[in-house]
């Protein structure tokens, strides 16, 4: 039965739908890209774990947490930004920006998101760091797994999994802190006074983090995540990708054999087939085989190869961020060409700028007042005993300010001498009722429009319900109809 080997897995037979899983033991490596990954890991995890504890003063009777998803009060707070449920289109805009930014990153440097910023990559890196701390580097971990069970092996495994579960638990705990006041919820969690739903979500996220970062690891990137398939359709020939420079690396040979070949004036590649680029790869990919779906473009193979080049006195860059076009050009003695600015990247930047511009304009010009009107349906109008015609409405006034405000309710387009009656309103201005709405609240008001019997009433007359703030004069209006016989 014929079989072949796949990156990140074991042998896969022609009559099998699945590859046999082969555990990956990535070796530690030092270098520029490893330092970049450490820096981004610390920054990303620092933001995720600590951001719920950052305070932001919004005034009295307002939450002081800088970033808060307040479901009970139907608000989303992000520092000075406050989003109401009616403004969910801002979330849509942010999702569009995130997608376009991901497309731009892909157009410039391939799967750079996967290699440096993806949560799966970040937490897997963290779990691997713990594993190395407890069990040692690649050879030590392989030796430990192959050794028979002993007190030392059992102790190291228990310690590793305990640390993994601790990280996973705090990952789930940090997530729920974004939905309630963080210091208060932490105290409630410690004394088992928190809502049951908080413990449920912590349990779910603890389990998923522990499994995905501790066990699934590269299997998520290779088999579960859809982005590698989407990315392959979005990339082009000018995008930088981690590449083995065949023009320089082939033919492969040992260090001494390469020296003899060069001394004799014959071709010798810089690749000495040391396999270091493979053993440091978190997905077990051999980058020398060309572009592969399993490669997450993390650059660790570049660091490993550069370290080997230092030892054999050869220049860096046998593996590097490059394009197939440049590899081909070097083979033909042509200079390298890099096109970061091209129609694709210009288009992405332009669309991103337009979306940011639209969102900024809408946000800076958004009103702090809103009004909605709902006409009675049954009956749509009533003829009173004195011959007047009454239409009933439910008017909801939205006050987004942190202080109570008075609003004058008026109507335009109604028949002449139409009277406005607002249930519960005791104050008036120029015959129009004044409605008080509390801070950061909405107020529902029952409103009747009554046209006298001698007024000219159309079957359907368009009207506009207008609310005007008494001090600043801010206005909001909603359209509806006045119905008649």
């Amino acid at each position: 039965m014929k079989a072949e080997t796949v990156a990140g897995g074991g042998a896969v037979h022609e009559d099998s739908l699945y590859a046999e899983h082969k555990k990956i033991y990535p070796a530690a490596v030092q270098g520029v890209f490893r330092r970049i990954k450490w820096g981004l890991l610390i920054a990303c995890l620092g933001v995720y774990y600590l951001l719920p504890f950052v305070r932001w003063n919004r005034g009295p009777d307002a939450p002081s947490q800088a970033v808060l998803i307040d479901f009970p009060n139907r608000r989303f707070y992000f520092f000075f930004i406050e989003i109401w449920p009616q403004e969910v289109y801002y979330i849509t805009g942010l999702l569009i920006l995130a997608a376009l930014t991901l497309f731009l990153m892909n157009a410039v440097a391939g799967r750079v998101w996967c290699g440096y910023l993806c949560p799966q990559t970040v937490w897997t890196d963290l779990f691997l760091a713990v594993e190395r701390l407890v069990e040692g580097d690649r050879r030590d971990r392989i030796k430990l797994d192959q050794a028979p069970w002993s007190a030392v092996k059992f102790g190291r495994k228990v310690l590793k999994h305990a640390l993994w579960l601790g990280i996973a638990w705090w990952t789930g705990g940090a997530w729920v802190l974004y939905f309630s006041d963080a210091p208060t919820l932490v105290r409630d969690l410690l004394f088992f006074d928190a809502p049951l739903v908080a413990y449920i979500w912590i349990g779910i996220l603890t389990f998923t983090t522990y499994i995905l970062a501790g066990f699934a690891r590269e299997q998520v990137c290779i088999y579960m995540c859809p982005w590698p398939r989407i990315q392959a359709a979005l990339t082009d020939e000018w995008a930088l990708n981690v590449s083995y420079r065949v023009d320089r690396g082939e033919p492969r040979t040992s260090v001494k054999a390469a020296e003899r070949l060069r001394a004799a004036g014959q071709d010798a590649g810089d690749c000495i087939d040391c396999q270091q680029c493979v053993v440091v790869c978190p997905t077990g990919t051999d980058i020398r085989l060309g572009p592969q779906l399993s490669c997450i473009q993390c650059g660790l193979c570049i660091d490993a190869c550069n370290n080997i080049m230092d030892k054999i006195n050869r220049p860096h860059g046998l593996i590097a961020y490059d394009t197939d076009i440049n590899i081909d050009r070097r083979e033909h003695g042509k200079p390298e060409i890099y096109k970061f600015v091209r129609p694709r990247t210009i288009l992405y930047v332009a669309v991103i700028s337009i979306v940011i511009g639209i969102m900024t304009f809408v946000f800076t010009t958004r009103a702090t007042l809103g009004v909605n009107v709902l006409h009675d349906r049954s009956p749509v109008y009533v003829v009173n005993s004195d011959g007047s015609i009454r239409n009933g409405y439910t008017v909801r006034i939205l006050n987004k300010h942190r202080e109570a405000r008075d609003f004058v309710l008026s109507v335009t387009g109604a028949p002449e001498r139409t009277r406005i009656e607002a249930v519960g309103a005791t104050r008036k201005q120029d015959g129009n009722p004044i409605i008080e709405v509390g801070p950061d609240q909405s107020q529902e008001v029952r409103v009747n429009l009554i046209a006298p019997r001698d007024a000219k009433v159309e079957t359907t007359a368009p009207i506009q319900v207008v609310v005007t703030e008494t001090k600043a004069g801010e206005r909001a209006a909603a359209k509806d109809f006045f119905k008649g016989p």
Side-chain angles (χ1 to χ4, degrees), residues 252-262 268-274 308-309 311-314:
R252 305 175 198 174
T253 184
S254 66
V255 177
K256 292 182 179 180
E259 291 175 351
R260 290 195 298 268
L261 289 172
R262 293 189 185 102
D270 283 347
C271 179
I272 60 173
D273 213 12
C274 63
I308 296 298
M309 293 298 105
K311 293 178 180 179
I312 64 175
N313 296 316
R314 300 299 295 171

Side-chain angles (χ1 to χ4, degrees), residues 189-460:
L189 288 169
L190 291 176
F191 291 98
F192 300 99
D193 292 328
L196 177 61
V197 67
Y199 293 103
I200 291 174
W201 276 108
I202 291 174
I204 292 172
L205 291 170
T206 298
F207 174 78
T208 54
T209 304
Y210 177 68
I211 295 299
L212 295 181
F215 299 93
R217 292 184 177 176
E218 77 284 346
Q219 305 296 306
V220 176
C221 305
I222 298 173
Y223 301 111
M224 295 172 62
C225 179
W227 177 238
R229 283 84 179 168
I230 300 172
Q231 181 266 345
L234 291 173
T235 193
D236 62 14
E237 67 274 18
W238 294 108
L240 292 177
N241 290 288
V242 174
S243 305
Y244 168 67
R245 289 170 167 169
V246 181
D247 57 303
R248 179 183 150 187
E250 302 295 327
R252 305 175 198 174
T253 184
S254 66
V255 177
K256 292 182 179 180
E259 291 175 351
R260 290 195 298 268
L261 289 172
R262 293 189 185 102
Q266 299 181 24
D267 292 334
D270 283 347
C271 179
I272 60 173
D273 213 12
C274 63
Q275 300 290 319
Q276 286 302 301
C277 58
V278 180
V279 298
V280 302
C281 179
T283 64
T285 301
D286 188 345
I287 194 63
R288 297 170 300 173
L289 300 178
Q292 297 163 70
L293 181 145
S294 58
C295 177
I296 62 172
Q297 307 286 320
C298 65
L300 295 182
C301 56
I302 299 176
D303 286 337
C305 187
N306 286 344
N307 293 339
I308 296 298
M309 293 298 105
D310 287 337
K311 293 178 180 179
I312 64 175
N313 296 316
R314 300 299 295 171
H316 289 183
L318 176 57
I319 301 176
Y321 279 96
D322 205 350
T323 66
D324 289 339
I325 291 177
N326 281 331
I327 293 175
D328 182 69
R329 290 179 67 86
R330 284 192 298 270
E331 286 182 335
H332 292 84
K334 298 179 181 179
E336 298 174 343
I337 297 177
Y338 295 97
K339 290 187 177 181
F340 297 108
V341 180
R342 56 188 190 276
R344 182 186 293 263
T345 57
I346 292 173
L347 175 63
Y348 288 148
V349 171
V351 177
I352 289 172
S353 301
I354 291 171
V355 174
I356 291 176
I358 292 173
M359 290 183 64
T360 302
F361 174 78
V362 172
F363 180 78
T364 54
T365 59
R366 68 176 182 170
T368 60
L369 167 64
V371 60
N372 294 298
V373 179
L374 180 64
H375 197 292
D376 287 354
R377 294 187 177 182
S378 180
V380 292
Y381 68 91
V382 174
V383 178
N384 295 322
S385 59
D386 61 357
S388 60
I389 299 174
R390 186 183 79 234
N391 279 217
Y393 306 85
T394 300
V395 177
R396 179 173 290 275
I397 304 173
L398 182 66
N399 176 22
K400 298 181 183 179
H401 260 271
R402 289 290 175 186
E403 58 186 23
R405 295 195 290 175
D406 290 336
F407 301 96
V408 177
L409 190 150
S410 60
V411 177
T412 61
E416 293 183 3
R417 294 176 286 120
T418 294
R419 188 171 76 254
I420 306 174
E421 292 182 353
V423 177
T426 58
R427 295 179 295 157
K428 290 190 176 184
Q429 179 177 306
D430 298 330
N432 295 318
I434 296 176
I435 311 298
E436 181 181 358
V437 183
D440 197 30
Q441 295 179 14
S442 62
Q443 179 71 42
E444 189 173 278
V445 183
R446 178 67 182 168
V447 176
N448 292 318
L449 299 184
I450 303 173
R453 62 179 299 176
D454 57 344
K456 183 179 180 181
V457 179
E458 299 179 8
T459 304
T460 300

